[in-house]
Amino acid sequence: MAFDYKKEYKEFYMPKNKPSIVTVPSMNYIAVRGQGDPNAEDGEYKQAIGLLYGIAFTIKMSKKSDHQIDGYFDYVVPPLEGFWWQDGVQGVDYTHKENFRWISVIRLPDFVTKADFDWAIEEAARKKKTDFSKVEWFTYDEGLCVQCMHIGSYDDEPATVKLMHEYMEAQGYALDITDKRMHHEIYLSDARKVAPEKLKTVIRHPIKKAER
């Protein structure tokens, strides 16, 4: 049975659809940075997704290659995630998607080292005849956050974010979005196959203790 991060770490991937406080440990990711509307046909975002999965599956299938990763165990590739921001905006302005800046990521299993990652970049480039130079190793120590499962269209996220912020303030916390701590989304549904009203997305915001 393949190890499934969503099932083994439900506190990070399967929160309830009401806000909660969570402390997220440091994790390593496959990452691609870009900007612009994620819905744009042939845009940077859709190209980034292809690059991420190219590396994710190269690492997953390394067991069938000459590169045997120390400590490898069979696993389900973790879900696509994204860190989002807009210059000069506190939080996210959903009405101006063209101004989005983002880091799209897929979590790496802990057994993957930087050397294994570098091998995967070279291997994928060789096999797929594709330029993977935009793909980077990204470590993110998220820390204290408020999170909630959002069910529905991405455009309806502001209502869930409002609930999260009301909850965090009631618990004595303040929003702590900075250039190092970002609006974070984890995509549990494939938007190409699931109706907008049924999409499941974990929304996570960094917080800190409110000053009295």
Side-chain angles (χ1 to χ4, degrees), residues 147-171:
Q147 68 178 12
C148 188
M149 181 73 79
H150 171 74
I151 300 174
S153 165
Y154 303 130
D155 289 338
D156 294 335
E157 286 183 8
T160 298
V161 168
K162 183 171 182 287
L163 288 175
M164 288 165 53
H165 289 181
E166 288 171 350
Y167 175 80
M168 111 197 143
E169 287 168 5
Q171 300 297 313

mmCIF file of all heavy atoms in Angstrom, residues 147-171:
data_model
loop_
_atom_site.group_PDB
_atom_site.id
_atom_site.type_symbol
_atom_site.label_atom_id
_atom_site.label_comp_id
_atom_site.label_asym_id
_atom_site.label_seq_id
_atom_site.Cartn_x
_atom_site.Cartn_y
_atom_site.Cartn_z
ATOM 1 N N GLN A 147 -6.141 27.757 9.246
ATOM 2 C CA GLN A 147 -6.473 27.099 7.991
ATOM 3 C C GLN A 147 -7.922 26.640 8.005
ATOM 4 O O GLN A 147 -8.567 26.556 9.062
ATOM 5 C CB GLN A 147 -5.552 25.910 7.731
ATOM 6 C CG GLN A 147 -5.747 24.756 8.690
ATOM 7 C CD GLN A 147 -4.842 23.565 8.384
ATOM 8 O OE1 GLN A 147 -3.904 23.660 7.589
ATOM 9 N NE2 GLN A 147 -5.109 22.431 9.023
ATOM 10 N N CYS A 148 -8.415 26.325 6.799
ATOM 11 C CA CYS A 148 -9.804 25.874 6.673
ATOM 12 C C CYS A 148 -9.964 25.171 5.331
ATOM 13 O O CYS A 148 -9.315 25.546 4.346
ATOM 14 C CB CYS A 148 -10.748 27.082 6.743
ATOM 15 S SG CYS A 148 -12.504 26.661 6.837
ATOM 16 N N MET A 149 -10.824 24.156 5.289
ATOM 17 C CA MET A 149 -11.177 23.533 4.024
ATOM 18 C C MET A 149 -12.217 24.416 3.330
ATOM 19 O O MET A 149 -13.271 24.709 3.897
ATOM 20 C CB MET A 149 -11.758 22.137 4.250
ATOM 21 C CG MET A 149 -12.121 21.418 2.963
ATOM 22 S SD MET A 149 -10.669 20.854 2.056
ATOM 23 C CE MET A 149 -10.253 19.365 2.993
ATOM 24 N N HIS A 150 -11.890 24.849 2.125
ATOM 25 C CA HIS A 150 -12.841 25.632 1.327
ATOM 26 C C HIS A 150 -13.468 24.693 0.309
ATOM 27 O O HIS A 150 -12.759 24.015 -0.441
ATOM 28 C CB HIS A 150 -12.115 26.784 0.617
ATOM 29 C CG HIS A 150 -12.965 27.494 -0.389
ATOM 30 N ND1 HIS A 150 -13.977 28.356 -0.018
ATOM 31 C CD2 HIS A 150 -12.969 27.465 -1.756
ATOM 32 C CE1 HIS A 150 -14.557 28.835 -1.113
ATOM 33 N NE2 HIS A 150 -13.970 28.311 -2.166
ATOM 34 N N ILE A 151 -14.791 24.633 0.298
ATOM 35 C CA ILE A 151 -15.498 23.812 -0.682
ATOM 36 C C ILE A 151 -16.244 24.748 -1.621
ATOM 37 O O ILE A 151 -17.114 25.523 -1.196
ATOM 38 C CB ILE A 151 -16.453 22.825 0.000
ATOM 39 C CG1 ILE A 151 -15.655 21.891 0.926
ATOM 40 C CG2 ILE A 151 -17.232 22.019 -1.043
ATOM 41 C CD1 ILE A 151 -16.491 20.951 1.762
ATOM 42 N N GLY A 152 -15.876 24.705 -2.903
ATOM 43 C CA GLY A 152 -16.519 25.585 -3.877
ATOM 44 C C GLY A 152 -15.503 26.222 -4.812
ATOM 45 O O GLY A 152 -14.325 25.881 -4.817
ATOM 46 N N SER A 153 -15.977 27.158 -5.590
ATOM 47 C CA SER A 153 -15.157 27.842 -6.580
ATOM 48 C C SER A 153 -14.020 28.627 -5.926
ATOM 49 O O SER A 153 -14.161 29.141 -4.812
ATOM 50 C CB SER A 153 -16.048 28.795 -7.383
ATOM 51 O OG SER A 153 -15.269 29.719 -8.105
ATOM 52 N N TYR A 154 -12.916 28.737 -6.637
ATOM 53 C CA TYR A 154 -11.804 29.558 -6.144
ATOM 54 C C TYR A 154 -12.242 31.012 -5.963
ATOM 55 O O TYR A 154 -11.767 31.706 -5.062
ATOM 56 C CB TYR A 154 -10.619 29.502 -7.118
ATOM 57 C CG TYR A 154 -10.105 28.099 -7.386
ATOM 58 C CD1 TYR A 154 -9.908 27.644 -8.687
ATOM 59 C CD2 TYR A 154 -9.811 27.229 -6.327
ATOM 60 C CE1 TYR A 154 -9.439 26.362 -8.930
ATOM 61 C CE2 TYR A 154 -9.343 25.951 -6.563
ATOM 62 C CZ TYR A 154 -9.163 25.516 -7.877
ATOM 63 O OH TYR A 154 -8.704 24.241 -8.111
ATOM 64 N N ASP A 155 -13.154 31.465 -6.816
ATOM 65 C CA ASP A 155 -13.621 32.858 -6.736
ATOM 66 C C ASP A 155 -14.426 33.125 -5.466
ATOM 67 O O ASP A 155 -14.627 34.287 -5.096
ATOM 68 C CB ASP A 155 -14.470 33.208 -7.968
ATOM 69 C CG ASP A 155 -13.630 33.323 -9.231
ATOM 70 O OD1 ASP A 155 -12.410 33.547 -9.098
ATOM 71 O OD2 ASP A 155 -14.179 33.183 -10.334
ATOM 72 N N ASP A 156 -14.888 32.053 -4.815
ATOM 73 C CA ASP A 156 -15.673 32.215 -3.580
ATOM 74 C C ASP A 156 -14.800 32.115 -2.317
ATOM 75 O O ASP A 156 -15.318 32.123 -1.198
ATOM 76 C CB ASP A 156 -16.779 31.144 -3.506
ATOM 77 C CG ASP A 156 -17.826 31.328 -4.598
ATOM 78 O OD1 ASP A 156 -17.972 32.478 -5.075
ATOM 79 O OD2 ASP A 156 -18.483 30.338 -4.978
ATOM 80 N N GLU A 157 -13.494 32.036 -2.497
ATOM 81 C CA GLU A 157 -12.593 31.911 -1.347
ATOM 82 C C GLU A 157 -12.691 33.067 -0.340
ATOM 83 O O GLU A 157 -12.497 32.846 0.852
ATOM 84 C CB GLU A 157 -11.142 31.764 -1.824
ATOM 85 C CG GLU A 157 -10.847 30.397 -2.405
ATOM 86 C CD GLU A 157 -9.383 30.252 -2.802
ATOM 87 O OE1 GLU A 157 -8.585 31.160 -2.482
ATOM 88 O OE2 GLU A 157 -9.043 29.228 -3.419
ATOM 89 N N PRO A 158 -12.955 34.310 -0.771
ATOM 90 C CA PRO A 158 -12.995 35.396 0.203
ATOM 91 C C PRO A 158 -13.925 35.152 1.387
ATOM 92 O O PRO A 158 -13.630 35.575 2.506
ATOM 93 C CB PRO A 158 -13.454 36.603 -0.629
ATOM 94 C CG PRO A 158 -12.918 36.331 -1.996
ATOM 95 C CD PRO A 158 -13.068 34.847 -2.170
ATOM 96 N N ALA A 159 -15.035 34.448 1.174
ATOM 97 C CA ALA A 159 -15.962 34.175 2.280
ATOM 98 C C ALA A 159 -15.310 33.265 3.316
ATOM 99 O O ALA A 159 -15.457 33.473 4.531
ATOM 100 C CB ALA A 159 -17.240 33.532 1.740
ATOM 101 N N THR A 160 -14.568 32.259 2.857
ATOM 102 C CA THR A 160 -13.869 31.361 3.773
ATOM 103 C C THR A 160 -12.733 32.093 4.482
ATOM 104 O O THR A 160 -12.521 31.920 5.690
ATOM 105 C CB THR A 160 -13.324 30.135 3.008
ATOM 106 O OG1 THR A 160 -14.435 29.413 2.444
ATOM 107 C CG2 THR A 160 -12.535 29.214 3.916
ATOM 108 N N VAL A 161 -12.011 32.929 3.734
ATOM 109 C CA VAL A 161 -10.920 33.714 4.331
ATOM 110 C C VAL A 161 -11.468 34.627 5.434
ATOM 111 O O VAL A 161 -10.853 34.775 6.494
ATOM 112 C CB VAL A 161 -10.190 34.532 3.244
ATOM 113 C CG1 VAL A 161 -9.255 35.558 3.872
ATOM 114 C CG2 VAL A 161 -9.400 33.591 2.331
ATOM 115 N N LYS A 162 -12.624 35.205 5.204
ATOM 116 C CA LYS A 162 -13.251 36.086 6.207
ATOM 117 C C LYS A 162 -13.525 35.304 7.499
ATOM 118 O O LYS A 162 -13.242 35.776 8.606
ATOM 119 C CB LYS A 162 -14.550 36.674 5.652
ATOM 120 C CG LYS A 162 -15.261 37.651 6.579
ATOM 121 C CD LYS A 162 -16.417 38.319 5.827
ATOM 122 C CE LYS A 162 -17.136 39.336 6.706
ATOM 123 N NZ LYS A 162 -17.969 38.727 7.752
ATOM 124 N N LEU A 163 -14.050 34.084 7.362
ATOM 125 C CA LEU A 163 -14.310 33.236 8.541
ATOM 126 C C LEU A 163 -13.005 32.913 9.272
ATOM 127 O O LEU A 163 -12.950 32.927 10.505
ATOM 128 C CB LEU A 163 -14.988 31.931 8.109
ATOM 129 C CG LEU A 163 -16.439 32.010 7.646
ATOM 130 C CD1 LEU A 163 -16.904 30.646 7.154
ATOM 131 C CD2 LEU A 163 -17.342 32.492 8.776
ATOM 132 N N MET A 164 -11.958 32.628 8.507
ATOM 133 C CA MET A 164 -10.658 32.305 9.097
ATOM 134 C C MET A 164 -10.124 33.481 9.909
ATOM 135 O O MET A 164 -9.625 33.311 11.024
ATOM 136 C CB MET A 164 -9.650 31.950 7.990
ATOM 137 C CG MET A 164 -9.904 30.609 7.339
ATOM 138 S SD MET A 164 -9.002 30.407 5.759
ATOM 139 C CE MET A 164 -7.312 30.786 6.227
ATOM 140 N N HIS A 165 -10.250 34.672 9.351
ATOM 141 C CA HIS A 165 -9.707 35.852 10.028
ATOM 142 C C HIS A 165 -10.522 36.205 11.279
ATOM 143 O O HIS A 165 -9.961 36.604 12.306
ATOM 144 C CB HIS A 165 -9.642 37.023 9.058
ATOM 145 C CG HIS A 165 -8.584 36.843 8.007
ATOM 146 N ND1 HIS A 165 -8.336 37.778 7.030
ATOM 147 C CD2 HIS A 165 -7.719 35.827 7.784
ATOM 148 C CE1 HIS A 165 -7.345 37.348 6.254
ATOM 149 N NE2 HIS A 165 -6.984 36.159 6.676
ATOM 150 N N GLU A 166 -11.831 36.024 11.196
ATOM 151 C CA GLU A 166 -12.671 36.261 12.377
ATOM 152 C C GLU A 166 -12.316 35.269 13.483
ATOM 153 O O GLU A 166 -12.229 35.642 14.666
ATOM 154 C CB GLU A 166 -14.151 36.127 11.996
ATOM 155 C CG GLU A 166 -14.656 37.291 11.136
ATOM 156 C CD GLU A 166 -16.056 37.039 10.596
ATOM 157 O OE1 GLU A 166 -16.565 35.899 10.727
ATOM 158 O OE2 GLU A 166 -16.637 37.989 10.017
ATOM 159 N N TYR A 167 -12.094 34.019 13.106
ATOM 160 C CA TYR A 167 -11.752 32.980 14.079
ATOM 161 C C TYR A 167 -10.401 33.283 14.724
ATOM 162 O O TYR A 167 -10.255 33.220 15.950
ATOM 163 C CB TYR A 167 -11.722 31.611 13.393
ATOM 164 C CG TYR A 167 -11.266 30.486 14.292
ATOM 165 C CD1 TYR A 167 -12.137 29.893 15.196
ATOM 166 C CD2 TYR A 167 -9.948 30.022 14.246
ATOM 167 C CE1 TYR A 167 -11.715 28.865 16.032
ATOM 168 C CE2 TYR A 167 -9.520 28.998 15.073
ATOM 169 C CZ TYR A 167 -10.407 28.427 15.970
ATOM 170 O OH TYR A 167 -9.989 27.413 16.794
ATOM 171 N N MET A 168 -9.408 33.602 13.912
ATOM 172 C CA MET A 168 -8.063 33.836 14.439
ATOM 173 C C MET A 168 -8.064 35.015 15.401
ATOM 174 O O MET A 168 -7.403 34.983 16.444
ATOM 175 C CB MET A 168 -7.085 34.032 13.273
ATOM 176 C CG MET A 168 -6.521 35.390 13.090
ATOM 177 S SD MET A 168 -5.795 35.674 11.484
ATOM 178 C CE MET A 168 -6.323 37.364 11.308
ATOM 179 N N GLU A 169 -8.806 36.071 15.064
ATOM 180 C CA GLU A 169 -8.856 37.242 15.948
ATOM 181 C C GLU A 169 -9.529 36.893 17.268
ATOM 182 O O GLU A 169 -9.096 37.339 18.338
ATOM 183 C CB GLU A 169 -9.574 38.387 15.238
ATOM 184 C CG GLU A 169 -8.729 39.011 14.125
ATOM 185 C CD GLU A 169 -9.526 39.938 13.224
ATOM 186 O OE1 GLU A 169 -10.729 40.177 13.524
ATOM 187 O OE2 GLU A 169 -8.957 40.410 12.212
ATOM 188 N N ALA A 170 -10.580 36.070 17.203
ATOM 189 C CA ALA A 170 -11.275 35.647 18.421
ATOM 190 C C ALA A 170 -10.370 34.800 19.317
ATOM 191 O O ALA A 170 -10.533 34.775 20.542
ATOM 192 C CB ALA A 170 -12.536 34.860 18.057
ATOM 193 N N GLN A 171 -9.381 34.133 18.705
ATOM 194 C CA GLN A 171 -8.446 33.290 19.463
ATOM 195 C C GLN A 171 -7.203 34.064 19.918
ATOM 196 O O GLN A 171 -6.288 33.480 20.512
ATOM 197 C CB GLN A 171 -8.005 32.096 18.601
ATOM 198 C CG GLN A 171 -9.147 31.188 18.152
ATOM 199 C CD GLN A 171 -9.852 30.515 19.306
ATOM 200 O OE1 GLN A 171 -9.208 29.981 20.201
ATOM 201 N NE2 GLN A 171 -11.171 30.546 19.316
#
